[in-house]
Amino acid sequence: MSSRPLPVVQRVPLPQGTPEYEALRQKYLSELEASIPDEYYLPQSLIDNPPRDVTSVPRECGILTAEEIDITENYDATALAAAIASKKFSAVAVATAFTKRAAIAHQLTGCLVEYFQGEALERAKALDEHLEKTGKTVGPLHGVPISLKEHMPIKGHYTAVGFLDTRHIDDYDCQMVAILRAAGAVFYCKTNQPQGIMHLETVSPLGRTLNPHNIDLSAGGSTGGEAALLAIRGSILGIGTDIGGSIRGPAGFCGIYGYKSTSYYLPTKDFLVGGFAAELTVLCSTGPMGHSLRDMDLFCSVVKASNPHIEDPALIPIPWTGTATAPKTTPLKVGIMWNDGAIIPQPPVKRALAWAKEQLETKFPGKFEVKSFVPYQAAEAMVNIRKAYWPDGGNAVRAHLAATGEPMFHLTEWVLKDAVSEEELPVSKVLEYRVARDVYRQKFVADWNAQDVDVVISPVFVGPACEHETAFYWNYTALWNYLDYPGVVFPTPIKALKKGAEDYAPEDATPLSEQDKHTRELWAKGDFENAPINLQITTRKYHDNELFGALAALQEALALP
């Protein structure tokens, strides 16, 4: 037991709840603290005065060995799996490196909610013994560490659906975890998610997750714990869920890859026991988060090769071809979505879009046909999707909060403002929303066809990673949830500059809406220096393979890792 509490950097305090809630919250925090060895504790002086960019701290703090730094910084999951299979590294060495780095990452960013190093090392030891005895790996992910978002069930560990009263220990693996475990994965931690799992910032009763590139900025949500852990290289591969941007937003904020599949393409069985009322109109999906395009491809190939639709009949049995998928048209027709007609993205995002356009037009002339893309009445879609998220009027949220005296967080209040009533909607109103959604989808695809594009490159968010408590506008991710189009967020070399170094272009001087005006106010007030700028690529529903085929075609031109 350490002589001092586990130090964790926190920039903005959490709301206080009832004594019952605070006692329960402290119980869980104490359990997490007790699970992390005190030899992994960072100096209190560093916690009290951290650098704004903490990404280099794990390398420089003296806790990791040279080999552990090499393992965690110089490999993607694909290369790491090969290194373990060839016995360059043992699975135990890899698990040790990532569990140690995850402990460091949590102190700097508040990314974890559960940590189980002992279990991970025991699993890794068994994998090493199997390889030594048989000369074979157990599967393509043999020894690869994978981190999990809190709500995904794994046997013997806590699961919660965004509220303290729902936290419990599961006695089974969900389907996704079982598939990955059978392929050789090593699980070692669960990561933070926001209250209700419905914010684009990750702030929960167990803490606020900070962006490793700039701790005064959000890591995004709802899979923000995963994104922060990956960005600081405390994870090599993670899993998220997405019903409004919860994979893509955090991936964009933290400068990593994130893939939101079309609904019912990848398994989500048991992810949310009891379901979520929003899915009556807007469907959730899942996907990997990681460091390279080939890791996204590897993850999906492993999962789809297990034929998950045999166990879950809700899944669509489309085989995975991924990056090996040949584009159906030559040249590839790429639309650039400069804005959604409601909010012009902040200057660094506009700069990233211009960079992408220039790369495609100049690096490989004739290979890509690049054109502007105008999304069909996207502002109308956003009005409809916000209403569709809360058919129960937010009653389930309020009931969960009341159960323990959990306070309603600021961004929970913000998202619940969209509920059209505090009462549960009648079936006729929910049906009205579904009909409106389907009509919109039909009009959108007709317009997409008329604009004649294969894929669309667009912003991930209205700007770079936002300051804490300001993740208000989901426009650039939620649109694609409403349409149920697959999307991948990918890194670019563009970063936000020092405050005052860039501003809106003259042609963008006039706000398109009140939301746009507010976004400009947030830009003027904020300091986003060093925030990564990612972009998003999307295509038609269930064209997930074609999406990855397009990414493979774009990889060299956009310098994609």
Side-chain angles (χ1 to χ4, degrees):
M1 191 74 173
S2 177
S3 59
R4 64 186 174 97
L6 178 70
V8 179
V9 177
Q10 285 291 296
R11 305 301 272 183
V12 180
L14 301 180
Q16 295 290 302
T18 64
E20 176 193 2
Y21 162 80
E22 293 297 336
L24 186 58
R25 174 178 170 271
Q26 190 55 53
K27 169 185 178 291
Y28 292 134
L29 288 172
S30 296
E31 289 177 2
L32 176 60
E33 179 179 306
S35 69
I36 296 178
D38 56 4
E39 58 263 34
Y40 301 163
Y41 279 26
L42 293 169
Q44 190 64 49
S45 58
L46 176 60
I47 299 300
D48 293 340
N49 295 286
R52 177 182 274 189
D53 181 346
V54 297
T55 54
S56 65
V57 172
R59 182 187 321 118
E60 299 168 352
C61 68
I63 294 172
L64 301 176
T65 67
E67 182 181 73
E68 289 163 351
I69 293 170
D70 181 36
I71 288 170
T72 54
E73 293 192 0
N74 297 326
Y75 294 80
D76 63 1
T78 305
L80 200 56
I84 296 169
S86 68
K87 300 184 182 179
K88 178 179 182 180
F89 299 127
S90 68
V92 167
V94 171
T96 300
F98 277 98
T99 53
K100 287 175 70 173
R101 192 157 183 141
I104 299 166
H106 176 65
Q107 295 169 76
L108 297 168
T109 66
C111 56
L112 301 184
V113 294
E114 196 175 1
Y115 179 81
F116 32 103
Q117 182 186 48
E119 181 180 316
L121 294 178
E122 185 179 341
R123 161 74 165 165
K125 183 173 182 288
L127 290 170
D128 284 337
E129 290 171 350
H130 175 90
L131 180 59
E132 188 64 32
K133 182 179 179 180
T134 68
K136 297 178 181 179
T137 62
V138 302
L141 296 177
H142 183 105
V144 174
I146 295 183
S147 47
L148 294 171
K149 191 175 182 180
E150 186 182 21
H151 72 81
M152 299 176 181
I154 178 172
K155 185 176 182 179
H157 296 285
Y158 282 114
T159 293
V161 294
F163 305 99
L164 219 54
D165 75 305
T166 65
R167 206 161 200 249
H168 65 280
I169 293 177
D170 281 307
D171 60 2
Y172 66 96
D173 287 344
C174 66
Q175 185 182 15
M176 178 73 85
V177 167
I179 291 168
L180 298 173
R181 194 190 294 278
V186 174
F187 302 106
Y188 64 107
C189 66
K190 295 192 96 175
T191 55
N192 201 15
Q193 62 191 20
Q195 186 178 70
I197 328 182
M198 280 296 286
H199 304 171
L200 285 191
E201 174 162 16
T202 296
V203 52
S204 80
L206 300 186
R208 181 187 307 275
T209 301
L210 312 179
N211 191 315
H213 298 281
N214 181 336
I215 59 174
D216 291 318
L217 302 179
S218 169
S222 63
T223 322
E226 284 293 319
L229 184 64
L230 281 154
I232 203 167
R233 302 291 300 201
S235 176
I236 198 75
L237 198 58
I239 314 169
T241 46
D242 194 315
I243 195 172
S246 289
I247 290 172
R248 292 160 295 147
F253 281 18
C254 292
I256 61 171
Y257 274 94
Y259 162 46
K260 179 204 87 70
S261 62
T262 307
S263 65
Y264 299 126
Y265 187 53
L266 297 177
T268 59
K269 184 172 175 283
D270 295 326
F271 274 9
L272 285 174
V273 176
F276 183 40
E279 289 199 273
L280 292 168
T281 303
V282 185
L283 294 172
C284 189
S285 57
T286 188
M289 302 167 75
H291 299 289
S292 68
L293 177 59
R294 68 179 184 171
D295 282 359
M296 303 292 96
D297 191 57
L298 171 65
F299 179 98
C300 295
S301 66
V302 168
V303 172
K304 292 297 285 184
S306 73
N307 292 317
H309 60 277
I310 300 299
E311 179 181 332
D312 183 1
L315 295 176
I316 308 299
I318 301 173
W320 181 257
T321 55
T323 53
T325 308
K328 291 185 176 179
T329 63
T330 303
L332 185 71
K333 299 171 184 176
V334 181
I336 304 288
M337 178 174 152
W338 297 97
N339 66 71
D340 68 344
I343 301 176
I344 295 173
Q346 292 167 348
V349 177
K350 183 82 177 288
R351 182 158 46 91
L353 290 168
W355 169 84
K357 180 177 184 291
E358 182 181 13
Q359 291 291 108
L360 297 182
E361 290 179 334
T362 61
K363 293 289 184 181
F364 297 92
K367 185 175 181 180
F368 308 105
E369 181 183 341
V370 183
K371 58 182 79 175
S372 294
F373 178 83
V374 179
Y376 177 81
Q377 295 184 10
E380 172 195 329
M382 282 310 303
V383 171
N384 289 341
I385 193 172
R386 287 194 297 265
K387 291 188 295 186
Y389 277 142
W390 306 107
D392 71 340
N395 287 331
V397 171
R398 287 184 281 271
H400 283 304
L401 299 180
T404 60
E406 183 173 332
M408 183 178 287
F409 290 2
H410 171 60
L411 287 174
T412 304
E413 292 182 17
W414 174 265
V415 296
L416 283 180
K417 288 195 308 182
D418 293 321
V420 296
S421 168
E422 290 193 3
E423 300 298 325
E424 187 172 296
L425 296 178
V427 172
S428 59
K429 180 58 71 173
V430 176
L431 177 61
E432 179 185 315
Y433 289 169
R434 285 180 63 97
V435 170
R437 179 203 68 184
D438 291 346
V439 169
Y440 178 79
R441 287 179 177 181
Q442 292 156 7
K443 292 180 178 178
F444 188 95
V445 76
D447 190 68
W448 175 292
N449 293 341
Q451 295 191 60
D452 191 23
V453 293
D454 297 314
V455 294
V456 169
I457 292 176
S458 65
V460 181
F461 186 65
V462 297
C466 61
E467 293 190 316
H468 297 297
E469 302 290 348
T470 65
F472 298 128
Y473 303 117
W474 306 12
N475 298 38
Y476 286 103
T477 50
L479 170 66
W480 306 110
N481 295 93
Y482 195 58
L483 293 162
D484 200 12
Y485 282 16
V488 172
V489 165
F490 60 88
T492 78
I494 307 299
K495 291 199 170 190
L497 305 177
K498 289 184 178 181
K499 185 176 176 64
E502 60 184 330
D503 209 344
Y504 286 85
E507 63 268 23
D508 296 330
T510 304
L512 301 180
S513 64
E514 286 300 312
Q515 292 179 340
D516 194 347
K517 183 179 178 182
H518 186 208
T519 300
R520 292 161 192 257
E521 292 168 357
L522 294 171
W523 168 255
K525 172 180 171 291
D527 184 352
F528 309 97
E529 183 180 358
N530 204 46
I533 309 298
N534 282 25
L535 294 173
Q536 176 177 211
I537 182 169
T538 52
T539 193
R540 301 169 186 268
K541 184 176 181 178
Y542 288 120
H543 282 55
D544 299 61
N545 284 311
E546 288 79 2
L547 178 63
F548 273 76
L551 279 163
L554 293 162
Q555 187 166 17
E556 188 175 359
L558 296 179
L560 301 179

